Amino acid sequence: MTTRRRAPVWRAALISLMAGPTVSLAAVPATAPTLADCDVADWQTVLHASTGPVDARAIWLDRHQLQWPAVEARTGSRFRLVRSAAGRLVLAKGQVAQGVDDAFTLGAAANPEPVARFKYLAPGVRLDVAADDAARLPALITGQWALVHEAADGTLLDVTTLQWPAWLDEVYSPARQLSLLGATVAAARSTRFELWAPTARGVAVCVYRHGDGPALAARALQRDEATGAWRHTEPADWSGRYYRYLVDVFVPGTGWVRNRVSDPYAASLTTDSRRAYITNWDDARLKPAGWDTHRAPDKVQANTDMVVYELHVRDFSAGDASVPAAHRGKYLAFTDTASRGMRHLRALAQTGLTDIHLLPVFDLATVPEQGCVTPLVPKAAPDSKAQQAAVMAVAATDCFNWGYDPFHYSAPEGSFASDAADGAARIREFRAMVAALHRAGLRVGMDVVYNHTAAAGQSPKSVLDRIVPGYYHRLDANGVVERSTCCDNTATEHVMMAKLMTDSVKLWATQYRIDSFRFDLMAHQPRAAMEVLQREVNAATGRHVNLIGEGWNFGEIADGKRFVQASQLSLNGSGIGTFSDRGRDAVRGGSAGDEGDNLTQRKGYTNGAVDGPRDEAMRLADQVRIGLAGTLRDYELQTWQGETKRLDQIDYAGQPAGYASQPGEVVNYVENHDNQTLFDNNALKLPPGTSGAERARVQMLAVAINLFSQGVAYFHAGIDTLRSKSLDRNSYDSGDWFNRLDWSYQTNFFGTGLPPQRDNESSWRVFQPLLADKTLQPTPRDIAWTRDAFRDLLAVRASTPLFRLRDAAEVRQRLSFPNSGPQQNPAVLVGRLDGTGRVDARFDELLYFVNVAESAQALTLPELAKGAAWRLHPVHTTPGAADQRAREARVDAASGTFTIPPRTALVFVRG
């Protein structure tokens, strides 16, 4: 609840002294706040309510220029910046402005040339601030501001507030060099607090002995005029204690507010993120056994070496009975080396998996860290609505969420810790998880979400906006926070938001030894910001940290409207990888937005398209070859229409199909946490009556294509155990029930109820008969075969660097597609990789085949009949090889005819 309280003496003094237009904040002596101020329960107190405009239609372009889109000057009119220190502006159209302490008359811009950063703005009046006035503004930055358009008689024609970020970025540009933001414990047994809050009137820190209980100290921070940061150094070691800030700041539409807010740079927290934890990284309490000496496995020298398994911390162990009950769903489950889940991960590491990528593990806003509930799911029919109803009834308070709702970017999530109230436990147990995975032979990656926050404005779960209102988020033409990402979009084109992102990634990479990062909706960030991040993180760690992310081009920043994006088409040459929808959609069929009948009718290359029109089958086969060639811009392919084209000359939904400059800039995948799992997708598309064994084979055809493709190979946890989410297309808040994994390999949880109504109701009529069909539920034998076949395919990829070439020129030189062009057999993909001249290639040459047809296919490739005899890859001929059908493949050496068994992926080698 918002309450009004009397301002304490130290704040009242500031208000009084700031009333005059020439008073500098630096001249105002700060006195200590009282402990009572710290112990107020409300997250905000309105010190002085204010009226006035809340829209922000005027935009600062730099420290001298403003633009007011869709507004033009009138004869005899004028534009003025007006300010009230106490927030007492009264601005009504047709009336004269009242409550003005300071006013600055603006002139027409002398240089109205477009500013690249603001090319998205609609035309409107461009205004200049006089040099002398511009010099005065920093001393007056606090308070209520507006831009007014006045008639000749002084009455108001229009009024708006302002978007300040560009002004703040320029005036406080030295802030980008700040290196001690947050709470820092020095070796000299002192504790330093530093917060960037240039528009605040006062900042204090409250320090607490515990995550709850009364404050033990309150200290006023001092403002640095050059950077806009506030800081205080206490001559004591306060590590292990907790803190939060009191920030007095003006909020348009509310007034002067005292926000009790945690730290954007918080390194750990107490329960439900109420207070930040003062962290000394050398404290023994934060280090699990062996932390200082353990090392990550050295198995990735370039992006293309990465084979990634995407895993949610809770999914991994919540249902694993071999994990101690206290560890289930927690970081510590990864330390239980004898559990079924850890045995599974070690087996993957031993056969070629390199990285575990954890779905968000930073502090998130939607899971109660204490007292989360477990739904009571009734026993019901496999196509019943009852299960989802029970799950969704407690979705807001249960223990599960994917976690794409950032609260604090640099602190571990508390619901995965054994004790969310203990800030040290989060750090120690997170580190223990990382060390355990490293010891299992796996590097650790993080899914990070810097493109939005869970909340903005004065929400209790808003941090950034309650410290510097209107700065950290991207605003539309009216000053409203953009939400194209689902939530409140951040603006990493702003200096301090980009810095927060970079500093956060550096912390995870240095203090937790995270090896790689996957950026959610990365195209909502500037390429330049990502390149700076890459350089700084590499420098901080002394190693190359692999960066990949989603490069989808949409929303208010689409097509470079505001900056050059970190998108598929704009990142080429950066070395940063983006997920490719080209191969994904071709293999799976349809697109991510399909619903209803489209889910069953839009077949993919592996699940039925080759049984349809020949032209469509060949088109899809070419689309898959584009992925196999690393989606490279300059790779040339003879298309099904007989033309030889560079991949960037081939159309994909109005965009170039090939977009990467180097193979490490593409991430290949056929399943991740979004949309239906691959098993569920195939349940929708494969013909009724397809046996469980054949469904498993179809699953592995898609996996093989992914592993044979140049670039990063990325998989969703459970793809190797036929994972099902009972057809759920968006399980982000679908509870443990629809996100289960079974490391005992007995079930995949298909047919455990209709998926949640929220995202699936439009397709329920399609889902119900499938979920009720017991023949679609795989047997333990089907699951075990898939598990073992996946490991064999991992081993094939790991056996030679020819599957993970690092350079586009080498891909062009070594990779070719013998069965392509207008005479191709579209049911069989054939890739030839030439190992000549590579001493590490292991083979002189290899041929991979993927036959998606239900019958054996014979291909005559006479140009491959010459030279040494072809033989099956050694993985296929080991006694324990999972896919015995691969051994039925035959080669006629005289004619060069290869006979490939039905629904089989295999590799021939020679030399």
Side-chain angles (χ1 to χ4, degrees):
M1 178 182 294
T2 301
T3 60
R4 299 182 184 180
R5 298 181 186 274
R6 181 174 172 271
V9 172
W10 74 291
R11 302 298 192 201
L14 288 177
I15 292 173
S16 174
L17 289 168
M18 285 299 299
T22 61
V23 176
S24 169
L25 284 172
V28 180
T31 57
T34 67
L35 293 180
D37 298 323
C38 294
D39 292 335
V40 174
D42 292 337
W43 70 88
Q44 67 171 17
T45 299
V46 178
L47 304 174
H48 173 73
S50 173
T51 60
V54 295
D55 64 338
R57 292 177 288 123
I59 296 94
W60 283 100
L61 308 181
D62 54 33
R63 70 183 301 165
H64 297 285
Q65 290 190 94
L66 286 142
Q67 185 163 324
W68 195 346
V71 172
E72 299 295 339
R74 299 186 190 180
T75 302
S77 68
R78 66 176 180 177
F79 294 89
R80 291 197 304 160
L81 280 172
V82 296
R83 170 185 176 269
S84 168
R88 302 182 189 279
L89 291 176
V90 178
L91 305 170
K93 289 183 182 181
Q95 303 293 318
V96 175
Q98 299 179 45
V100 176
D101 294 329
D102 305 280
F104 303 89
T105 301
L106 308 178
N111 178 21
E113 291 298 315
V115 178
R117 177 174 171 181
F118 296 100
K119 62 184 179 181
Y120 67 93
L121 292 177
V125 65
R126 180 79 66 83
L127 302 166
D128 266 348
V129 182
D132 288 347
D133 290 341
R136 292 179 59 209
L137 292 184
L140 306 173
I141 182 59
T142 63
Q144 180 184 20
W145 285 88
L147 177 59
V148 297
H149 187 193
E150 297 173 322
D153 62 358
T155 58
L156 297 177
L157 299 171
D158 202 354
V159 58
T160 187
T161 58
L162 303 104
Q163 297 185 26
W164 286 89
W167 188 93
L168 293 169
D169 282 347
E170 185 168 338
V171 171
Y172 299 107
S173 60
R176 72 184 69 206
Q177 303 303 325
L178 293 171
S179 60
L180 295 173
L181 288 166
T184 309
V185 178
R189 297 183 61 81
S190 64
T191 306
R192 172 191 171 110
F193 300 93
E194 186 165 42
L195 180 73
W196 190 69
T199 61
R201 183 174 62 187
V203 178
V205 65
C206 301
V207 180
Y208 305 84
R209 191 174 305 281
H210 303 292
D212 52 14
L216 62 88
R219 301 287 189 267
L221 277 63
Q222 303 296 316
R223 179 186 171 96
D224 173 28
E225 291 296 340
T227 62
W230 298 73
R231 59 179 68 101
H232 169 74
T233 299
E234 184 72 16
D237 182 350
W238 277 347
S239 58
R241 296 178 179 176
Y242 296 83
Y243 71 103
R244 64 176 176 172
Y245 290 114
L246 305 180
V247 180
D248 282 13
V249 67
F250 186 84
V251 179
T254 303
W256 276 107
V257 175
R258 173 165 306 127
N259 279 322
R260 294 172 185 83
V261 62
S262 53
D263 190 343
Y265 277 73
S268 191
L269 300 148
T270 188
T271 310
D272 293 330
S273 315
R274 289 188 295 268
R275 296 171 182 173
Y277 177 78
I278 300 174
T279 304
N280 177 356
W281 293 106
D282 292 327
D283 191 332
R285 292 174 293 179
L286 307 185
K287 296 180 181 181
W291 175 253
D292 287 333
T293 57
H294 103 276
R295 294 291 178 266
D298 184 19
K299 56 199 318 184
V300 170
Q301 279 71 53
N303 269 12
T304 51
D305 293 333
M306 294 173 68
V307 182
V308 179
Y309 201 64
E310 178 196 52
L311 182 63
H312 188 281
V313 167
R314 186 166 177 83
D315 292 354
F316 173 66
S317 61
D320 188 349
S322 67
V323 173
H327 290 180
R328 292 175 198 166
K330 307 292 185 180
Y331 299 125
L332 289 178
F334 293 90
T335 68
D336 297 312
T337 57
S339 73
R340 293 191 184 103
M342 283 306 296
R343 292 201 301 267
H344 185 90
L345 295 187
R346 282 198 302 275
L348 292 176
Q350 290 161 6
T351 51
L353 193 74
T354 65
D355 287 59
I356 294 296
H357 262 214
L358 299 170
L359 267 71
V361 284
F362 50 69
D363 181 54
L364 50 107
T366 47
V367 175
E369 292 181 345
Q370 186 175 40
C372 64
V373 301
T374 301
L376 297 174
V377 182
K379 290 184 178 180
D383 61 339
S384 171
K385 302 176 185 177
Q387 298 95 326
Q388 65 86 33
V391 169
M392 298 313 295
V394 296
T397 55
D398 74 354
C399 305
F400 181 88
N401 196 283
W402 277 347
Y404 292 91
D405 51 343
F407 200 167
H408 296 83
Y409 286 122
S410 303
E413 163 58 17
S415 67
F416 301 142
S418 63
D419 182 0
D422 183 353
R426 299 186 190 213
I427 296 172
R428 183 179 61 252
E429 292 171 10
F430 192 112
R431 284 174 156 182
M433 171 184 67
V434 172
L437 286 167
H438 282 167
R439 286 192 292 269
L442 292 161
R443 299 176 354 129
V444 182
M446 274 182 66
D447 194 332
V448 288
V449 189
Y450 296 104
N451 64 84
H452 64 248
T453 55
Q458 286 297 108
S459 165
K461 292 189 176 181
S462 168
V463 177
L464 302 174
D465 227 10
R466 295 203 295 132
I467 295 171
V468 192
Y471 176 81
Y472 284 100
H473 292 87
R474 188 173 299 124
L475 307 178
D476 68 11
N478 294 313
V480 177
V481 176
E482 295 277 8
R483 293 178 58 84
S484 59
T485 63
C486 81
C487 309
D488 294 314
N489 295 0
T490 55
T492 38
E493 64 270 29
H494 301 165
V495 169
M496 296 304 285
M497 182 60 218
K499 176 177 173 57
L500 173 59
M501 175 175 71
T502 297
D503 289 348
S504 175
V505 172
K506 284 195 290 188
L507 183 142
W508 290 113
T510 56
Q511 299 301 339
Y512 295 94
R513 303 185 192 168
I514 297 296
D515 303 291
S516 58
F517 292 86
R518 180 250 188 216
F519 286 77
D520 181 69
L521 298 182
M522 183 172 62
H524 271 61
Q525 295 156 194
R527 170 178 168 146
M530 290 300 302
E531 289 181 311
V532 168
L533 183 151
Q534 179 77 83
R535 290 194 298 270
E536 291 199 14
V537 173
N538 286 358
T541 58
R543 56 186 165 86
H544 180 72
V545 175
N546 307 94
L547 306 182
I548 61 176
E550 292 181 301
W552 316 132
N553 178 37
F554 70 97
E556 73 283 354
I557 46 72
D559 303 320
K561 287 186 180 71
R562 298 199 181 203
F563 45 75
V564 176
Q565 301 155 255
S567 66
Q568 286 178 333
L569 301 184
S570 301
L571 270 176
N572 69 97
S574 68
I576 298 170
T578 59
F579 287 80
S580 174
D581 45 354
R582 279 68 165 159
R584 177 202 69 189
D585 290 350
V587 168
R588 289 172 61 99
S591 67
D594 285 352
E595 297 179 345
D597 292 334
N598 281 336
L599 289 167
T600 60
Q601 294 172 0
R602 301 183 68 190
K603 309 286 188 180
Y605 180 72
T606 58
N607 54 37
V610 295
D611 298 323
R614 177 176 170 80
D615 284 1
E616 176 62 7
M618 290 196 293
R619 186 191 70 80
L620 279 178
D622 275 2
Q623 202 73 48
V624 175
R625 291 184 185 97
I626 289 166
L628 290 166
T631 321
L632 294 170
R633 290 171 175 255
D634 59 0
Y635 187 90
E636 292 188 345
L637 175 71
Q638 185 186 34
T639 72
W640 67 276
Q641 294 170 311
E643 304 169 295
T644 297
K645 291 184 175 181
R646 288 166 43 116
L647 299 188
D648 62 1
Q649 296 171 332
I650 298 174
D651 179 72
Y652 173 79
Q655 301 179 58
Y659 65 80
S661 292
Q662 297 294 340
E665 293 172 358
V666 66
V667 180
N668 302 300
Y669 73 113
V670 290
E671 178 189 320
N672 74 346
H673 62 273
D674 287 319
N675 309 115
Q676 277 89 8
T677 67
L678 186 59
F679 178 90
D680 287 347
N681 179 75
N682 290 338
L684 289 159
K685 290 178 168 51
L686 284 171
T690 304
S691 70
E694 289 299 297
R695 289 178 184 276
R697 298 193 71 85
V698 171
Q699 183 111 339
M700 287 302 100
L701 295 177
V703 163
I705 290 170
N706 216 45
L707 286 168
F708 294 164
S709 295
Q710 300 294 328
V712 177
Y714 197 95
F715 300 98
H716 185 214
I719 195 172
D720 52 333
T721 57
L722 299 176
R723 183 179 190 172
S724 169
K725 297 182 181 180
S726 210
L727 301 176
D728 194 350
R729 66 173 295 176
N730 188 14
S731 67
Y732 81 96
D733 198 22
S734 299
D736 294 330
W737 185 261
F738 290 99
N739 287 283
R740 288 174 290 176
L741 285 164
D742 177 19
W743 301 127
S744 71
Y745 316 124
Q746 298 305 297
T747 180
N748 74 340
F749 301 108
F750 182 83
T752 51
L754 280 166
Q757 181 177 14
R758 176 197 56 228
D759 290 303
N760 300 280
E761 185 180 19
S762 64
S763 301
W764 273 359
R765 63 177 178 80
V766 176
F767 293 169
Q768 282 187 289
L770 295 171
L771 294 172
D773 185 351
K774 293 183 179 180
T775 67
L776 296 184
Q777 297 174 12
T779 65
R781 182 176 180 178
D782 297 331
I783 294 170
W785 181 89
T786 308
R787 175 200 64 203
D788 296 341
F790 182 76
R791 294 173 186 175
D792 286 350
L793 288 168
L794 285 176
V796 168
R797 181 180 172 98
S799 71
T800 173
L802 296 177
F803 282 120
R804 50 187 194 277
L805 299 170
R806 300 178 187 177
D807 184 75
E810 197 169 22
V811 175
R812 293 194 303 271
Q813 172 193 344
R814 298 187 182 278
L815 174 65
S816 59
F817 297 108
N819 177 41
S820 58
Q823 304 306 315
Q824 68 178 272
N825 176 349
V828 185
L829 297 169
V830 186
R832 179 190 182 198
L833 284 163
D834 183 356
T836 304
R838 281 202 65 147
V839 296
D840 61 345
R842 187 178 176 187
F843 310 109
D844 293 339
E845 193 174 8
L846 65 80
L847 280 174
Y848 58 77
F849 293 83
V850 181
N851 176 14
V852 300
E854 296 180 58
S855 58
Q857 300 291 303
L859 293 178
T860 300
L861 305 170
E863 69 275 20
L864 299 177
K866 303 172 184 177
W870 292 97
R871 67 186 190 280
L872 281 172
H873 191 287
V875 167
H876 298 316
T877 57
T878 57
D883 190 358
Q884 295 295 308
R885 189 182 290 181
R887 298 189 185 189
E888 300 171 12
R890 297 290 180 266
V891 183
D892 184 301
S895 64
T897 298
F898 295 78
T899 301
I900 310 302
R903 285 181 172 151
T904 299
L906 56 83
V907 177
F908 281 103
V909 298
R910 61 183 178 186

Short mmCIF file of all heavy atoms in Angstrom, two decimals, residues 262-291:
data_model
loop_
_atom_site.label_atom_id
_atom_site.label_comp_id
_atom_site.label_asym_id
_atom_site.label_seq_id
_atom_site.Cartn_x
_atom_site.Cartn_y
_atom_site.Cartn_z
N SER A 262 15.94 -2.33 -3.70
CA SER A 262 17.18 -3.10 -3.68
C SER A 262 18.14 -2.55 -4.73
O SER A 262 17.86 -1.55 -5.39
CB SER A 262 16.88 -4.58 -3.90
OG SER A 262 16.12 -4.74 -5.08
N ASP A 263 19.24 -3.22 -4.91
CA ASP A 263 20.33 -2.73 -5.74
C ASP A 263 20.31 -3.41 -7.11
O ASP A 263 20.28 -4.64 -7.17
CB ASP A 263 21.66 -3.03 -5.03
CG ASP A 263 22.86 -2.36 -5.66
OD1 ASP A 263 22.77 -1.92 -6.81
OD2 ASP A 263 23.90 -2.28 -4.98
N PRO A 264 20.34 -2.65 -8.22
CA PRO A 264 20.44 -3.30 -9.54
C PRO A 264 21.67 -4.19 -9.65
O PRO A 264 21.69 -5.12 -10.45
CB PRO A 264 20.53 -2.12 -10.52
CG PRO A 264 19.98 -0.96 -9.79
CD PRO A 264 20.28 -1.18 -8.34
N TYR A 265 22.70 -3.90 -8.86
CA TYR A 265 23.93 -4.67 -8.88
C TYR A 265 23.99 -5.68 -7.73
O TYR A 265 25.07 -6.20 -7.42
CB TYR A 265 25.14 -3.73 -8.82
CG TYR A 265 25.52 -3.17 -10.17
CD1 TYR A 265 24.74 -2.20 -10.79
CD2 TYR A 265 26.64 -3.62 -10.85
CE1 TYR A 265 25.08 -1.69 -12.03
CE2 TYR A 265 27.00 -3.13 -12.09
CZ TYR A 265 26.21 -2.15 -12.67
OH TYR A 265 26.56 -1.67 -13.92
N ALA A 266 22.86 -6.00 -7.13
CA ALA A 266 22.85 -6.97 -6.04
C ALA A 266 23.48 -8.29 -6.48
O ALA A 266 23.13 -8.84 -7.53
CB ALA A 266 21.41 -7.22 -5.58
N ALA A 267 24.40 -8.80 -5.66
CA ALA A 267 25.06 -10.06 -5.97
C ALA A 267 24.35 -11.26 -5.35
O ALA A 267 24.53 -12.39 -5.79
CB ALA A 267 26.51 -10.02 -5.49
N SER A 268 23.55 -11.00 -4.34
CA SER A 268 22.69 -12.03 -3.77
C SER A 268 21.61 -11.31 -2.97
O SER A 268 21.66 -10.08 -2.81
CB SER A 268 23.47 -13.02 -2.91
OG SER A 268 22.67 -14.14 -2.58
N LEU A 269 20.67 -12.09 -2.44
CA LEU A 269 19.47 -11.49 -1.85
C LEU A 269 18.95 -12.36 -0.71
O LEU A 269 19.40 -13.49 -0.52
CB LEU A 269 18.37 -11.34 -2.91
CG LEU A 269 18.71 -10.47 -4.12
CD1 LEU A 269 17.99 -10.97 -5.35
CD2 LEU A 269 18.33 -9.02 -3.84
N THR A 270 17.97 -11.81 -0.03
CA THR A 270 17.23 -12.61 0.93
C THR A 270 15.90 -13.02 0.30
O THR A 270 15.63 -12.74 -0.87
CB THR A 270 17.00 -11.83 2.23
OG1 THR A 270 16.44 -12.73 3.20
CG2 THR A 270 16.08 -10.66 2.02
N THR A 271 15.06 -13.68 1.08
CA THR A 271 13.81 -14.25 0.58
C THR A 271 12.98 -13.25 -0.19
O THR A 271 12.74 -12.13 0.26
CB THR A 271 12.98 -14.79 1.76
OG1 THR A 271 13.81 -15.60 2.58
CG2 THR A 271 11.79 -15.60 1.26
N ASP A 272 12.54 -13.70 -1.36
CA ASP A 272 11.69 -12.89 -2.25
C ASP A 272 12.31 -11.53 -2.57
O ASP A 272 11.61 -10.55 -2.83
CB ASP A 272 10.28 -12.72 -1.66
CG ASP A 272 9.53 -14.04 -1.61
OD1 ASP A 272 9.79 -14.90 -2.48
OD2 ASP A 272 8.69 -14.22 -0.71
N SER A 273 13.63 -11.49 -2.53
CA SER A 273 14.41 -10.36 -3.07
C SER A 273 14.18 -9.06 -2.33
O SER A 273 14.34 -7.98 -2.91
CB SER A 273 14.09 -10.18 -4.56
OG SER A 273 14.09 -11.40 -5.25
N ARG A 274 13.84 -9.13 -1.07
CA ARG A 274 13.51 -7.91 -0.33
C ARG A 274 14.76 -7.08 -0.01
O ARG A 274 14.70 -5.86 0.03
CB ARG A 274 12.74 -8.26 0.94
CG ARG A 274 11.32 -8.74 0.69
CD ARG A 274 10.55 -8.88 1.99
NE ARG A 274 11.10 -9.90 2.86
CZ ARG A 274 10.70 -11.17 2.85
NH1 ARG A 274 9.75 -11.56 2.03
NH2 ARG A 274 11.23 -12.06 3.68
N ARG A 275 15.86 -7.75 0.28
CA ARG A 275 17.09 -7.05 0.63
C ARG A 275 18.26 -7.69 -0.10
O ARG A 275 18.29 -8.91 -0.32
CB ARG A 275 17.33 -7.10 2.14
CG ARG A 275 16.27 -6.38 2.96
CD ARG A 275 16.42 -6.62 4.45
NE ARG A 275 15.35 -5.96 5.21
CZ ARG A 275 15.15 -6.12 6.51
NH1 ARG A 275 15.95 -6.92 7.21
NH2 ARG A 275 14.16 -5.48 7.11
N ALA A 276 19.24 -6.85 -0.45
CA ALA A 276 20.45 -7.35 -1.11
C ALA A 276 21.46 -7.80 -0.06
O ALA A 276 21.43 -7.38 1.10
CB ALA A 276 21.04 -6.25 -1.99
N TYR A 277 22.37 -8.64 -0.49
CA TYR A 277 23.36 -9.26 0.39
C TYR A 277 24.73 -8.64 0.10
O TYR A 277 25.12 -8.50 -1.06
CB TYR A 277 23.39 -10.76 0.13
CG TYR A 277 24.41 -11.56 0.90
CD1 TYR A 277 24.18 -11.91 2.22
CD2 TYR A 277 25.58 -12.01 0.28
CE1 TYR A 277 25.10 -12.68 2.92
CE2 TYR A 277 26.50 -12.77 0.97
CZ TYR A 277 26.26 -13.10 2.29
OH TYR A 277 27.17 -13.87 2.99
N ILE A 278 25.45 -8.26 1.14
CA ILE A 278 26.78 -7.67 0.97
C ILE A 278 27.79 -8.81 0.79
O ILE A 278 27.97 -9.63 1.70
CB ILE A 278 27.15 -6.78 2.17
CG1 ILE A 278 26.12 -5.65 2.30
CG2 ILE A 278 28.57 -6.22 2.01
CD1 ILE A 278 26.30 -4.79 3.54
N THR A 279 28.41 -8.84 -0.37
CA THR A 279 29.19 -10.01 -0.79
C THR A 279 30.68 -9.71 -0.80
O THR A 279 31.13 -8.75 -1.43
CB THR A 279 28.77 -10.43 -2.21
OG1 THR A 279 27.35 -10.67 -2.22
CG2 THR A 279 29.49 -11.69 -2.64
N ASN A 280 31.43 -10.54 -0.10
CA ASN A 280 32.89 -10.56 -0.21
C ASN A 280 33.24 -11.87 -0.92
O ASN A 280 33.12 -12.95 -0.34
CB ASN A 280 33.53 -10.52 1.17
CG ASN A 280 35.04 -10.61 1.12
OD1 ASN A 280 35.63 -10.78 0.05
ND2 ASN A 280 35.69 -10.49 2.27
N TRP A 281 33.65 -11.76 -2.17
CA TRP A 281 33.81 -12.96 -3.00
C TRP A 281 34.91 -13.90 -2.48
O TRP A 281 34.95 -15.07 -2.87
CB TRP A 281 34.08 -12.56 -4.44
CG TRP A 281 32.90 -11.91 -5.07
CD1 TRP A 281 32.73 -10.59 -5.36
CD2 TRP A 281 31.68 -12.55 -5.46
NE1 TRP A 281 31.49 -10.36 -5.91
CE2 TRP A 281 30.83 -11.55 -5.98
CE3 TRP A 281 31.22 -13.87 -5.42
CZ2 TRP A 281 29.54 -11.82 -6.46
CZ3 TRP A 281 29.94 -14.16 -5.90
CH2 TRP A 281 29.12 -13.13 -6.41
N ASP A 282 35.76 -13.39 -1.61
CA ASP A 282 36.81 -14.25 -1.04
C ASP A 282 36.38 -14.91 0.26
O ASP A 282 37.16 -15.67 0.85
CB ASP A 282 38.08 -13.43 -0.80
CG ASP A 282 38.73 -12.99 -2.10
OD1 ASP A 282 38.65 -13.75 -3.08
OD2 ASP A 282 39.30 -11.88 -2.14
N ASP A 283 35.18 -14.64 0.70
CA ASP A 283 34.67 -15.21 1.94
C ASP A 283 34.54 -16.73 1.79
O ASP A 283 33.92 -17.22 0.84
CB ASP A 283 33.31 -14.59 2.25
CG ASP A 283 32.81 -14.91 3.65
OD1 ASP A 283 33.17 -15.98 4.20
OD2 ASP A 283 32.02 -14.11 4.19
N ALA A 284 35.10 -17.46 2.72
CA ALA A 284 35.05 -18.93 2.66
C ALA A 284 33.62 -19.45 2.71
O ALA A 284 33.34 -20.55 2.21
CB ALA A 284 35.85 -19.51 3.83
N ARG A 285 32.70 -18.66 3.29
CA ARG A 285 31.30 -19.10 3.36
C ARG A 285 30.66 -19.20 1.97
O ARG A 285 29.62 -19.83 1.81
CB ARG A 285 30.49 -18.13 4.21
CG ARG A 285 30.83 -18.12 5.69
CD ARG A 285 30.08 -17.02 6.41
NE ARG A 285 30.53 -15.69 6.01
CZ ARG A 285 30.02 -14.55 6.47
NH1 ARG A 285 29.03 -14.60 7.36
NH2 ARG A 285 30.48 -13.39 6.06
N LEU A 286 31.27 -18.57 1.00
CA LEU A 286 30.70 -18.54 -0.35
C LEU A 286 31.32 -19.59 -1.28
O LEU A 286 30.94 -19.67 -2.44
CB LEU A 286 30.89 -17.15 -0.97
CG LEU A 286 30.40 -15.96 -0.16
CD1 LEU A 286 30.54 -14.68 -0.96
CD2 LEU A 286 28.96 -16.16 0.28
N LYS A 287 32.24 -20.38 -0.75
CA LYS A 287 32.98 -21.31 -1.61
C LYS A 287 32.69 -22.76 -1.23
O LYS A 287 32.98 -23.18 -0.11
CB LYS A 287 34.47 -21.04 -1.50
CG LYS A 287 34.89 -19.67 -1.99
CD LYS A 287 36.39 -19.47 -1.84
CE LYS A 287 36.81 -18.09 -2.32
NZ LYS A 287 38.27 -17.89 -2.20
N PRO A 288 32.18 -23.54 -2.17
CA PRO A 288 32.06 -24.98 -1.90
C PRO A 288 33.45 -25.61 -1.92
O PRO A 288 34.42 -25.01 -2.41
CB PRO A 288 31.21 -25.47 -3.08
CG PRO A 288 31.50 -24.50 -4.19
CD PRO A 288 31.71 -23.17 -3.51
N ALA A 289 33.55 -26.80 -1.41
CA ALA A 289 34.84 -27.49 -1.36
C ALA A 289 35.45 -27.59 -2.75
O ALA A 289 34.78 -27.97 -3.72
CB ALA A 289 34.66 -28.88 -0.77
N GLY A 290 36.72 -27.21 -2.85
CA GLY A 290 37.43 -27.33 -4.11
C GLY A 290 37.18 -26.23 -5.12
O GLY A 290 37.67 -26.29 -6.24
N TRP A 291 36.44 -25.18 -4.72
CA TRP A 291 36.07 -24.15 -5.69
C TRP A 291 37.28 -23.45 -6.29
O TRP A 291 37.34 -23.20 -7.49
CB TRP A 291 35.15 -23.12 -5.04
CG TRP A 291 34.83 -21.98 -5.97
CD1 TRP A 291 35.30 -20.70 -5.90
CD2 TRP A 291 33.98 -22.02 -7.11
NE1 TRP A 291 34.79 -19.95 -6.94
CE2 TRP A 291 33.98 -20.74 -7.70
CE3 TRP A 291 33.21 -23.03 -7.71
CZ2 TRP A 291 33.25 -20.43 -8.84
CZ3 TRP A 291 32.48 -22.73 -8.85
CH2 TRP A 291 32.50 -21.45 -9.41
#
